[in-house]
Amino acid sequence: MTEKRKDYISWDEYFMGVAELSAMRSKDPSTQVGACIVSQDNKILSMGYNGFPKGCSDDEFPWGKGCEDPYETKYFYSTHSELNAILNYRGGSLEGSKLYVTLFPCNECAKAIIQCGIKMIIYADDKYGDTPAVRASKRMLLSAGVELVPYKRTGRKLEVIV
Ligand SMILES: O=c1[nH]c(=O)n([C@H]2C[C@H](O)[C@@H](COP(=O)(O)O)O2)cc1CO
Ligand SMILES: [Zn+2]
């Protein structure tokens, strides 16, 4: 064996794979989102998925979305994957980093992304792209000079046995 392996995963597959794996930790019955923050030299700095804040039980707080009373829906309580990834980072500055995320960030996450210095977003899905929240998000991110890169799935299936 004198040559290196050829079928190793790319950086993009690696980081989006970590974001996808993080999403698998989400308890949200309808949408699971994962995020992975990476330094400019390709080191993973943080990860996150959508869920309730520490101390707010997954079994006691509501996961519903259709209920008329917003107090009884998940929207008041769930922390988005991107915000969790930002808040999970305890190492200092995220200035100049990249965010791999399975779903395009909303307007609230966009504010945190801009303010913490993330400079590039690589996103896999944009299913809420037509909503005012995501349109407002793109408006802010573009204005702040954050690069928005749609992730091109390679179609490679990664199997992990745990
Ligand atoms: O960027 C996002 N990041 C993120 O983590 N989320 C979370 C919040 C909710 O738990 C879930 C969205 O739920 P639903 O698709 O049922 O409305 O995804 C939602 C967005 C929306 O763009
Ligand atoms: Zn968000």
Side-chain angles (χ1 to χ4, degrees):
M1 283 280 187
T2 53
E3 282 181 31
K4 68 176 182 183
R5 285 179 56 220
K6 299 235 165 34
D7 61 343
Y8 57 90
I9 57 173
S10 69
W11 285 121
D12 273 355
E13 287 173 323
Y14 178 32
F15 300 135
M16 193 55 85
V18 168
E20 296 282 1
L21 193 66
S22 303
M24 292 170 80
R25 280 280 309 154
S26 176
K27 321 298 182 306
D28 191 315
S30 56
T31 302
Q32 304 83 40
V33 189
C36 176
I37 302 178
V38 178
S39 69
Q40 279 164 319
D41 61 345
N42 290 329
K43 295 193 175 86
I44 294 178
L45 301 176
S46 191
M47 286 161 274
Y49 56 89
N50 53 325
F52 298 143
K54 232 184 270 183
C56 302
S57 167
D58 290 328
D59 298 312
E60 286 163 27
F61 280 67
W63 281 114
K65 54 193 269 185
C67 181
E68 224 164 81
D69 180 1
Y71 182 76
E72 293 301 340
T73 71
K74 64 184 172 184
Y75 295 109
F76 276 174
Y77 312 108
S78 70
T79 310
H80 290 191
S81 71
E82 307 89 313
L83 188 60
N84 267 332
I86 290 169
L87 297 173
N88 286 343
Y89 184 59
R90 300 296 156 88
S93 173
L94 291 172
E95 194 66 46
S97 60
K98 303 178 278 188
L99 169 71
Y100 285 77
V101 64
T102 60
L103 179 62
F104 197 95
C106 74
N107 63 308
E108 291 300 329
C109 290
K111 296 172 200 173
I113 289 165
I114 293 166
Q115 292 302 79
C116 78
I118 290 171
K119 290 289 182 285
M120 187 189 290
I121 299 173
I122 302 97
Y123 60 97
D125 189 10
D126 192 16
K127 68 173 179 172
Y128 294 130
D130 291 337
T131 63
V134 174
R135 289 177 53 225
S137 170
K138 288 177 183 165
R139 185 178 185 176
M140 286 187 278
L141 291 165
L142 290 172
S143 179
V146 178
E147 209 177 322
L148 308 179
V149 183
Y151 177 71
K152 288 185 197 72
R153 288 200 187 274
T154 59
R156 191 205 291 248
K157 198 170 172 188
L158 304 180
E159 192 179 31
V160 183
I161 300 174
V162 290

